[in-house]
Amino acid sequence: DTAVSQTPKYLVTQMGNDKSIKCEQNLGHDTMYWYKQDSKKFLKIMFSYNNKELIINETVPNRFSPKSPDKAHLNLHINSLELGDSAVYFCASSQAPQYNSPLHFGNGTRLTVT
Amino acid sequence: AQKITQTQPGMFVQEKEAVTLDCTYDTSDQSYGLFWYKQPSSGEMIFLIYQGSYDEQNATEGRYSLNFQKARKSANLVISASQLGDSAMYFCAMREGWGGGSNYKLTFGKGTLLTVNP
């Protein structure tokens, strides 16, 4: 049973297109996240939702829009894709937003914009 | 200032030997958590070990242990009896405070690439 699953695993698309990445967790966690890992492997948070409420919105272009229809799902929609959006996007969840709650990550979505 | 510093971009270790991966952190909070994650070449992020700021004992999980020195603000990961499968990128991360705003996020270091030689 996959705890945090995201689809698709790979996404290749052209500049200017719109795409979505879906994420689901079956751990019963309250908090979900999107992280971006760049080509140098640096991981940076983008968004976080707690009980469907947006609690973190880092400095991310407004072409990126998260949506949490329920506690178990957090999707990421990207409009007008640019070359610089190429990266690995990780979804994660944690039981709570508190400091002692580890994040459990999905396997990542490798986005390539050509 | 960087919140998490991993000064070793790459480390090499012989199979069956122990290795220490360094991590220092910067926070003014009293309550915080420190985490280590492993990312093998297949790309997934695997949670290894957690140390809370109030924990008096160093955390241990199987072959992983954390050398936590609070006054020095360091949380080094020790892997004992290295195996070939330990070859991966290792990330140190910190979560500050107790809820609220940016305290919800886990901030990562730049990682250390560990190579285990046979």
Side-chain angles (χ1 to χ4, degrees), chain B residues 34-113:
Chain B
L34 297 155
F35 304 80
W36 278 90
Y37 284 83
K38 172 184 179 181
Q39 187 176 39
S41 58
S42 49
E44 69 268 32
M45 293 287 292
I46 303 166
F47 166 62
L48 295 178
I49 195 167
Y50 161 80
Q51 179 85 42
S53 58
Y54 297 114
D55 295 341
E56 294 184 354
Q57 304 269 4
N58 285 340
T60 61
E61 287 288 347
R63 293 186 299 111
Y64 304 108
S65 61
L66 221 151
N67 183 359
F68 180 46
Q69 299 188 43
K70 195 169 178 176
R72 291 187 174 188
K73 293 189 176 177
S74 74
N76 299 338
L77 177 70
V78 180
I79 306 175
S80 62
S82 296
Q83 302 172 356
L84 295 178
D86 293 335
S87 293
M89 183 74 91
Y90 288 81
F91 292 97
C92 179
M94 177 175 65
R95 214 165 178 181
E96 297 172 281
W98 183 262
S102 63
N103 291 341
Y104 288 114
K105 67 181 177 184
L106 192 63
T107 302
F108 284 84
K110 293 185 177 180
T112 295
L113 182 61

Side-chain angles (χ1 to χ4, degrees), chain B residues 6-11 89 110-114:
Chain B
Q6 295 181 255
T7 56
Q8 307 152 314
M11 286 282 286
M89 183 74 91
K110 293 185 177 180
T112 295
L113 182 61
L114 176 66

Side-chain angles (χ1 to χ4, degrees), chain A residues 25 28-33 48-53 55-56 71 74 92-98 101-104, chain B residues 95 104:
Chain A
Q25 55 96 2
H29 287 169
D30 285 343
T31 315
M32 295 186 74
Y33 312 78
S48 178
Y49 275 75
N50 186 49
N51 280 321
K52 300 194 298 174
E53 179 189 348
I55 56 173
I56 296 176
K71 276 191 343 179
L74 180 61
S93 72
S94 66
Q95 189 169 13
Q98 282 79 10
S101 188
L103 270 62
H104 298 266
Chain B
R95 214 165 178 181
Y104 288 114

Side-chain angles (χ1 to χ4, degrees), chain A residues 79-95:
Chain A
N79 288 326
S80 304
L81 277 155
E82 300 177 357
L83 292 176
D85 297 333
S86 294
V88 179
Y89 292 84
F90 284 98
C91 176
S93 72
S94 66
Q95 189 169 13

Side-chain angles (χ1 to χ4, degrees), chain A residues 1-3 24 26 28 42 55 76 82-83 90 92-93 99 105:
Chain A
D1 280 349
T2 305
E24 176 181 3
N26 63 5
F42 185 63
I55 56 173
L76 183 66
E82 300 177 357
L83 292 176
F90 284 98
S93 72
Y99 71 89
F105 284 83

